Amino acid sequence: MIERASLLDVVWLAGLLEGEGAFDLHRDRYPRVRLEMTDRDVVGRAATLFGCSVRVTLRPAPAQATFHAEVSGGRAEAVMRAILPHMGARRSQRIAGVLGRAPKTDKSPPKLSRPPGLPLEKSA
């Protein structure tokens, strides 16, 4: 699960979801993170970090099977808050919008940690 993931795993997941993830409100109420790809091993690693299982969709040839990992509610919120500091501007806005509209979501700003090696900001 994401709460026990290493920083390396969180950054890897952020990079994957930056390009392949979807962030929305399931039933206009619950935060949701979705991933769909043809690479079973990649989706499996993400599903482990999500704390969910992998689903498969089979399609007639020549199409390939696709693998899905999806989490909603509190687990999706935890994933979004963990990856938020590592996302680009567009995805960060999307995640913030989802978290801001979710009725059961903690509305406090995410607790962001300073990446190692960055100097502390000096106050004027």
Side-chain angles (χ1 to χ4, degrees):
M1 303 242 330
I2 199 71
E3 296 86 1
R4 290 175 263 161
S6 70
L7 177 60
L8 185 62
D9 283 335
V10 171
V11 170
W12 175 85
L13 184 62
L16 176 65
L17 294 176
E18 182 77 45
E20 301 294 332
F23 306 92
D24 62 4
L25 284 175
H26 179 60
R27 297 184 180 175
D28 289 326
R29 185 167 181 87
Y30 307 103
R32 178 170 62 176
V33 179
R34 295 179 293 149
L35 174 67
E36 178 181 358
M37 299 176 69
T38 58
D39 299 310
R40 167 65 174 93
D41 60 327
V42 175
V43 175
R45 183 175 174 189
T48 298
L49 294 171
F50 286 176
C52 71
S53 58
V54 175
R55 293 181 299 116
V56 63
T57 299
L58 302 174
R59 294 188 170 86
Q64 293 182 327
T66 57
F67 300 93
H68 312 262
E70 178 179 309
V71 64
S72 63
R75 285 190 290 171
E77 180 182 347
V79 169
M80 289 182 198
R81 288 184 177 280
I83 66 171
L84 186 58
H86 311 289
M87 302 301 280
R90 184 174 63 90
R91 293 293 190 160
S92 292
Q93 276 188 320
R94 178 68 180 158
I95 291 170
V98 168
L99 293 176
R101 288 182 31 227
K104 295 202 174 222
T105 301
D106 177 11
K107 301 294 188 233
S108 62
K111 293 161 185 62
L112 305 177
S113 60
R114 183 179 53 85
L118 287 182
L120 294 173
E121 293 181 33
K122 295 180 183 179
S123 55

